[in-house]
Amino acid sequence: MMTLKTPAARYIFATVLYTECIVGIIMNLFIVAANFMRWKTVKSLHIGDTILSSLATSRSLFLFNVFVTYLPPVRVMWVNKNLQVLSAMSAVSMFLHSTNLWFTTILCVFYCVKISSYNWKFFNFLKTRISTLFPRFLLASLLISIFSSLPFGWCIYEIQIQNPINFAMENMTLPKVGIYENPHNKFLLFLVSSCPPFLIFLVADFLLIHSLWQHTRRMRISGSGFRNPNLESHFSAVKSMSLFLVLHIIYFICSSLYFSGDVYNSGSEFWISSIVICSPPSLHSLYIISSNSELRKTFISMFHIFTCCGQEQEEQEL
């Protein structure tokens, strides 16, 4: 098993991963809290905000699971090879990974249906029933994630008997029992559960970017100035969805490497892969906050409130 050359490098990688998880959890929980406050005020929430809140909740739980799983006390349980612990953690990790993929795909499909200008029967059907269909899609994705994660608790780890240990003094032989991971089953189950939402995401994102780009070209050809607000909003949407696409591809590739068994549990490749896997959920949520004027204003006001409360508390202590 590959290990890091120096303890300092391991501590640096662990610190980066833990910090990234904490920041990502804060960003995603802020999105959930902001949408909850909006719902509490107007007693209703747009379907896009509902999907975004579901995705932010899934990302928070995913990052929290990564943070808890790789804390030193929990890492000791992994090293001890406890079959029940390994099976349960594997199933939970896969469930959170699958919900993250499906909710991301549903958000992208929602953007594609809402924004794109394709005059197809299927798109028109989704647009007319968007408020009733997408909550059902969220529920269906949860059920699919549950059923796809259960085999990770059943088919990944198994107990095998190694060469027996002989005790000559007592004239007895004891088998040496070990718990082994089946990388073939692990990667196959990952592909079966992860490829459908990833492929749907790619198709939806490509269709949306293509529609936005074609509409932008028509606006420029028709004589609209580059400073036209509608044209700038379309360019911004193209950049946003392109960033969404790149981050999701990075997430899927690194997750594939992790589940394929090519990344060792205690090597530098493992820590780097974990850091990269946790980057897209954090970065995309941060981008959503920065690009949404309401979320950005709410975040700045909440940050200002916390800063003022901290300063008042310091003044009282002095």
Side-chain angles (χ1 to χ4, degrees):
M1 183 177 291
M2 182 178 178
T3 57
L4 293 176
K5 294 182 179 180
T6 60
R10 183 172 65 251
Y11 295 146
I12 292 173
F13 283 129
T15 302
V16 172
L17 179 62
Y18 299 153
T19 304
E20 184 180 50
C21 289
I22 293 174
V23 172
I25 291 171
I26 293 174
M27 294 294 103
N28 285 283
L29 288 181
F30 167 76
I31 294 176
V32 176
N35 287 330
F36 175 77
M37 292 170 59
R38 188 181 308 165
W39 171 83
K40 190 175 180 180
T41 302
V42 299
K43 300 302 180 182
S44 64
L45 196 63
H46 190 263
I47 184 62
D49 294 329
T50 302
I51 299 173
L52 183 59
S53 298
S54 302
L55 176 59
T57 303
S58 174
R59 286 174 170 176
S60 300
L61 293 175
F62 172 78
L63 294 171
F64 179 75
N65 178 70
V66 173
F67 181 83
V68 172
T69 299
Y70 301 122
L71 286 175
V74 183
R75 292 290 299 169
V76 171
M77 289 192 295
W78 279 86
V79 174
N80 289 338
K81 300 290 184 180
N82 187 298
L83 178 60
Q84 288 74 21
V85 173
L86 289 175
S87 299
M89 294 180 75
S90 178
V92 170
S93 298
M94 188 57 204
F95 169 74
L96 296 175
H97 163 78
S98 182
T99 53
N100 188 22
L101 280 179
W102 277 110
F103 287 173
T104 302
T105 300
I106 292 174
L107 181 64
C108 186
V109 172
F110 172 79
Y111 287 157
C112 182
V113 172
K114 194 72 175 177
I115 301 175
S116 62
S117 57
Y118 298 108
N119 192 21
W120 300 339
K121 291 183 178 180
F122 181 67
F123 270 77
N124 293 331
F125 170 79
L126 290 177
K127 285 183 178 181
T128 56
R129 293 169 174 82
I130 193 170
S131 60
T132 58
L133 287 178
F134 278 88
R136 298 177 183 179
F137 289 163
L138 291 174
L139 179 59
S141 65
L142 278 176
L143 296 176
I144 294 173
S145 299
I146 291 174
F147 287 113
S148 64
S149 62
L150 290 178
F152 273 76
W154 300 334
C155 307
I156 302 300
Y157 298 100
E158 57 185 11
I159 298 177
Q160 293 183 359
I161 299 177
Q162 297 177 330
N163 295 328
I165 302 174
N166 295 321
F167 292 88
M169 295 294 295
E170 301 180 3
N171 194 20
M172 61 182 299
T173 303
L174 293 177
K176 185 179 180 182
V177 179
I179 299 175
Y180 293 91
E181 180 185 274
N182 191 324
H184 180 267
N185 288 351
K186 185 177 182 180
F187 188 58
L188 181 61
L189 290 172
F190 166 80
L191 291 179
V192 170
S193 60
S194 301
C195 283
F198 180 68
L199 293 177
I200 296 173
F201 172 87
L202 291 180
V203 173
D205 202 293
F206 173 78
L207 290 176
L208 179 55
I209 292 176
H210 180 265
S211 176
L212 287 170
W213 188 253
Q214 290 296 325
H215 190 65
T216 302
R217 288 185 59 187
R218 288 194 295 268
M219 291 176 66
R220 295 185 64 181
I221 293 174
S222 64
S224 299
F226 185 78
R227 293 297 181 182
N228 188 310
N230 292 329
L231 190 60
E232 291 184 356
S233 64
H234 276 70
F235 272 117
S236 177
V238 170
K239 294 177 182 178
S240 176
M241 297 310 299
S242 299
L243 176 64
F244 197 11
L245 177 64
V246 171
L247 290 176
H248 199 57
I249 290 176
I250 293 174
Y251 173 82
F252 185 82
I253 291 175
C254 292
S255 298
S256 300
L257 292 175
Y258 176 82
F259 283 99
S260 67
D262 293 335
V263 178
Y264 297 96
N265 285 338
S266 60
S268 57
E269 295 94 340
F270 165 78
W271 289 101
I272 294 174
S273 177
S274 299
I275 291 171
V276 177
I277 288 174
C278 294
S279 296
S282 303
L283 292 176
H284 184 249
S285 298
L286 180 62
Y287 177 80
I288 290 175
I289 295 173
S290 62
S291 60
N292 188 301
S293 59
E294 293 184 4
L295 289 176
R296 186 172 62 251
K297 292 177 181 178
T298 305
F299 181 81
I300 293 174
S301 61
M302 291 180 64
F303 180 77
H304 180 70
I305 292 173
F306 284 126
T307 303
C308 293
C309 291
Q311 291 177 353
E312 291 178 359
Q313 186 176 1
E314 289 181 357
E315 291 177 357
Q316 291 177 0
E317 291 177 354
L318 293 175

